[in-house]
Amino acid sequence: GDLRIMRSLGANLVRLYGNDPRRHHGRFLDEAQAQGLQVAVGMSDWPYYQQVPGSCLKAADAFNCFPQVRPLYLDNLRKGFLRGNEYHPAIRVVNVLNEPDLKMPPTATTGGSEGAVLMARSLISAFDAMLDAERFLEVTGTLVNFTATFSYAVCMACEKFRGSPALGQMAQLDDAMHHPERYGYTPKNDITTAYKKRWMHSFNTQNPATDLQHQFLDFYNQAFPATPVYIGEYH
């Protein structure tokens, strides 16, 4: 099938955009493993701003995404993400949200500083929800990595790197992971330690490779020397 063709072309990882947590994902992950492919799975946009009523964006406690994300991630874990109490070996990384800087809120990079704060609050609360789902199901074994894939926009609303694409968003999230109280959020789990051990940064871009070293990588290596980074979309 499609996965066999991808593997024959040299692919080693398949990125997925969201999923329906009501459906079982085990057969797809089994086939990916059989073909020697890893999988980057992701939460859909549904709980963040598409769910009507009750999205994270429109809830009374806006941008606290814990209540919306936890039950859906529990369903994902129960329906294929886990084998017994361990993650399926095909899963390489879980994307908390694709391009949150363009969605939570849409003005996170272009408006006032409050937008960048709300973006970070939505991500740390969603990450906390996923950790809580793992804890509830007593997940053991090799734990997967997490990420939030930012756009390549320059974040003029962020506190740092206002002249560099994607880096401002990553720095804002890094601050929120270390100091959630600054973002009006009290975690139920140790998100700071989990972030240090399990987080990978990622971004989407259509810029040519010749841009990436001087626009992004030189600064990234100084700011996040111990945190892996990858390109989620390269058009």
Side-chain angles (χ1 to χ4, degrees), residues 101-115:
D101 49 326
L102 303 183
K103 303 169 182 174
M104 297 297 291
T107 56
T109 61
T110 58
S113 60
E114 179 68 10

Side-chain angles (χ1 to χ4, degrees), residues 17 65 84 106 115 123 137 153 159-161 173 191 203 215 224:
Y17 288 80
C65 298
L123 291 175
L137 293 179
E159 294 179 0
K160 299 178 180 179
F161 296 108
L173 177 60
I191 64 171
F203 63 97
Q215 289 183 355
F224 303 103

Side-chain angles (χ1 to χ4, degrees), residues 171-192:
Q172 196 78 50
L173 177 60
D174 182 80
D175 185 68
M177 289 288 193
H178 285 89
H179 306 285
E181 71 282 355
R182 296 179 184 173
Y183 295 77
Y185 185 71
T186 303
K188 300 180 186 300
N189 302 275
D190 187 355
I191 64 171
T192 304

Side-chain angles (χ1 to χ4, degrees), residues 35-108:
Q35 297 299 329
L37 291 166
Q38 294 184 306
V39 183
V41 298
M43 291 292 293
S44 75
D45 292 348
W46 171 258
Y48 295 99
Y49 66 93
Q50 294 176 334
Q51 180 178 327
V52 179
S55 72
C56 175
L57 186 68
K58 299 294 185 180
D61 188 11
F63 300 95
N64 173 4
C65 298
F66 188 101
Q68 291 82 6
V69 170
R70 185 180 185 275
L72 299 185
Y73 198 63
L74 273 172
D75 283 346
N76 279 324
L77 292 174
R78 289 167 170 152
K79 296 179 180 177
F81 281 18
L82 296 182
R83 278 182 176 173
N85 286 85
E86 298 187 8
Y87 272 101
H88 193 291
I91 298 178
R92 177 67 180 87
V93 62
V94 177
N95 196 348
V96 177
L97 180 60
N98 183 57
E99 296 188 341
D101 49 326
L102 303 183
K103 303 169 182 174
M104 297 297 291
T107 56

Side-chain angles (χ1 to χ4, degrees), residues 10-45:
N12 56 23
L13 182 141
V14 176
R15 180 186 176 187
L16 304 179
Y17 288 80
N19 63 75
D20 185 343
R22 297 171 299 181
R23 297 183 178 275
H24 203 284
H25 313 297
R27 289 180 60 189
F28 179 90
L29 294 170
D30 289 345
E31 180 62 20
Q33 183 187 18
Q35 297 299 329
L37 291 166
Q38 294 184 306
V39 183
V41 298
M43 291 292 293
S44 75
D45 292 348

